[in-house]
Structures are given as C-alpha cells and as structure tokens.
Amino acid sequence: TIARELEMKYSALRLTTDEWHTRLFGDDFADAEDLGHQQHNSRHAELEALLWEVASRALSLGVNVVLDFGCWAKSERESFRAKAHRLGVDFRIHFADAPEEVLLARLAARNAELPAGTFYIPEIELKQWIGLFERPTAGELKAR
C-alpha cells in the first residue's frame, strides 16, 4: 500500500518482488515439495538482484524508484544504501510500524482475499519472521 502511494507521490518506478515472482512462478511459496522454501527463496533472491539492475539503470537515467522489498535485516538495508550512494542517488527507508496483532489481522485479511501478486502465508510463518526482523534505527530512517 505504501509503495503504491510513494510510486504516485514521486512519479516513480515501483519494483515489487512478489508481483514479479507470482507472475513468473505462481504461488511457489505453498509448494509442499519445496521443503524450507529453498526454491522459492532462491528465485526470490534472483529476482531481487534482477530488479536492482533495473532500478540502477532507471536511477542512472534520473527516474525515481521505489524498491518494494522486505529488507528485514539491517545488512540488507545498508547494502542498498551503499549501492545507491555509489550511483550518486538519494536513498530513503519508508518504514510502517505495526504491532504483531495488527500484522496478523492484516495477514488474515490478505490470505482470505489473496490479491494478485501475493502469496498465501501461514500465520506461523509470519510469527517466525517477526522474530527475525531487525527494526530500523532512527539513524537508518534519516534520508542520507
């Protein structure tokens, strides 16, 4: 939702990994034969790398870009910040904070509708991911 708003506000190219992933591979997250989601995760990583190539070209042409990626770890965010810096472009993190109960309610609503470009995610998966999430610091959220 925020990525779509930013896309309009900044006349930006929005690159959303999940949308590309489901278009190319379908909902392979739910593939029972993909134990541990290894194939899904590998495809997702390849798509993020490809979308960064598209983003870097667009940025070099002066086009604003919204990377609608999870960036759940500080190291991921710092990597993108460094890449943007090497290109000579601004980098900002837009972080929407919500308590776990709100996230779970949103997931339940999303899973019930399963809009295009999304995966069905079991509640137990989201609870595990919440434990892995590294909350952005105030310093990370400042535009640099």
Side-chain angles (χ1 to χ4, degrees):
T1 302
I2 292 174
R4 284 189 173 92
E5 291 170 5
L6 294 171
E7 169 187 37
M8 299 307 292
K9 180 178 180 178
Y10 295 108
S11 298
L13 171 64
R14 178 180 51 85
L15 299 171
T16 302
T17 314
D18 287 357
E19 290 176 358
W20 286 64
H21 193 125
T22 56
R23 178 94 183 256
L24 291 170
F25 307 112
D27 183 358
D28 66 348
F29 190 82
D31 185 355
E33 294 181 23
D34 185 12
L35 299 176
H37 310 295
Q38 291 176 351
Q39 183 176 41
H40 169 87
N41 293 340
S42 175
R43 288 172 170 172
H44 217 71
E46 287 294 323
L47 275 172
E48 282 190 355
L50 175 64
L51 293 180
W52 171 252
E53 289 178 25
V54 172
S56 63
R57 179 66 180 138
L59 290 164
S60 70
L61 294 170
V63 176
N64 291 325
V65 174
V66 174
L67 289 178
D68 186 12
F69 294 6
C71 293
W72 285 45
K74 182 177 182 176
S75 62
E76 291 175 277
R77 297 187 294 269
E78 289 304 316
S79 175
F80 281 115
R81 186 182 306 281
K83 289 176 184 180
H85 180 73
R86 285 192 295 273
L87 289 174
V89 298
D90 290 337
F91 176 86
R92 293 183 210 152
I93 295 172
H94 296 268
F95 171 59
D97 199 7
E100 182 174 334
E101 54 274 4
V102 171
L103 295 174
L104 293 172
R106 288 178 182 166
L107 178 67
R110 177 185 128 154
N111 282 344
E113 294 177 21
L114 210 55
T118 61
F119 303 101
Y120 178 87
I121 298 173
E123 183 178 294
I124 193 162
E125 296 273 354
L126 181 58
K127 286 182 177 184
Q128 290 172 352
W129 295 342
I130 289 170
L132 299 173
F133 178 66
E134 297 175 10
R135 184 174 302 283
T137 63
E140 284 185 88
L141 296 175
K142 289 182 184 175
R144 299 187 255 163

